[in-house]
Each structure stands twice: as structure tokens, then as C-alpha cells.
Amino acid sequence: MDIKKWFIGGITAGILLFLLGWLVYGMLLMNFMNNHTGAAGNVMRQEPDMLYLVIGNLAAGFMLAFVLMKANVTTMGGGFVTAGILNLLMAISVDSMIYATTTTISKTAMAADVAASTIMFAVVGAITAMVMNMGKKTA
């Protein structure tokens, strides 16, 4: 495994996920998600714990870069599809289990989260695949 390529891809994806998460969840969907909470009501912190937000985004970024490397994805289209399918399945899995075991999310918010995170992850996958394969020699 090319550690340098994985590191560059992981950092790139982590930063992109952080920025897109801020845009999508912190700006565009904030009111929507706050209006579609589960029975527990709004359980959001007043201010996010930035350290753990960064750790979570970097972990997701390194996971994505690892999958793209192992799947031998070399194109933006391949990154878009691979990351989109990976996140679609992860989001359905996690959101369904959260919905089944807690009262913190509604079905409407769950569907919005699956859609938004899948689009975000697909876009990040495309860009990360491009960055990870920059300078690659073609035969």
C-alpha cells in the first residue's frame, strides 16, 4: 500500500468532508434538521466539540482513501460511484440503527441525512480519486 498516497487522500477527503459538512449540515439543512427531530427533541450542543468533529471527518477521509486505493479507483467517475455507494450503504445502516434504538431522529431527517451525506461523499470521492492519482504515469 502506498502510504503517501493514502495520507494525501485521507487528508484531502477529511478536509473536504469537514467543509462540505459545514455547508450542507451547518448552513443549508440546519433549520430543516432542527424541525425534524425525533421525539427526544433538539439534542444538539450549543457549540460543537471541534476536536471530535475534526477527528470524525479525518477518520472518514482516511477510510474513503483506503477504500479507493483497495478498489483501485483511478478516475473521478469511479471515485464518485464508489464513494456514493459506500456512503449510501453506511448511512442507511447507521441511520436505521439510530432510528430503531433512539428517539433522536425522525424518518424525514433520516431520509434527508442519507441523501445529503451520500451526495457529499460521492463528490468528495470524485475529488479524492483525482488528487490521489495526480501525477500517475499512464502506460
Side-chain angles (χ1 to χ4, degrees), residues 23-34 112-113 116-117:
L23 176 66
V24 172
Y25 291 103
M27 303 292 281
L28 299 175
L29 291 179
M30 184 171 60
N31 289 335
F32 178 84
M33 294 303 250
N34 285 337
D113 181 58
S117 66

Side-chain angles (χ1 to χ4, degrees), residues 17-47:
L17 287 168
F18 181 87
L19 293 173
L20 277 176
W22 167 77
L23 176 66
V24 172
Y25 291 103
M27 303 292 281
L28 299 175
L29 291 179
M30 184 171 60
N31 289 335
F32 178 84
M33 294 303 250
N34 285 337
N35 292 330
H36 292 90
T37 60
N42 188 352
V43 294
M44 299 295 291
R45 293 178 186 263
Q46 288 294 330
E47 293 294 324

Side-chain angles (χ1 to χ4, degrees), residues 3-20:
I3 297 297
K4 181 180 175 185
K5 183 176 172 179
W6 181 52
F7 184 78
I8 290 169
I11 295 295
T12 299
I15 290 169
L16 290 171
L17 287 168
F18 181 87
L19 293 173
L20 277 176

Side-chain angles (χ1 to χ4, degrees), residues 63-138:
M63 177 196 61
L64 175 58
F66 181 79
V67 169
L68 293 176
M69 284 182 63
K70 289 298 184 179
N72 202 27
V73 173
T74 59
T75 65
M76 288 182 76
F80 186 89
V81 170
T82 302
I85 291 170
L86 175 67
N87 187 82
L88 176 66
L89 297 172
M90 285 186 335
I92 290 170
S93 170
V94 171
D95 283 351
S96 293
M97 287 186 273
I98 289 171
Y99 180 80
T101 60
T102 74
T103 59
T104 59
I105 190 170
S106 70
K107 287 180 187 173
T108 303
M110 182 173 62
D113 181 58
V114 169
S117 66
T118 298
I119 292 166
M120 277 178 40
F121 225 72
V123 169
V124 170
I127 296 168
T128 302
M130 178 192 70
V131 168
M132 288 174 66
N133 289 288
M134 289 173 103
K136 187 174 182 179
K137 295 177 183 171
T138 55

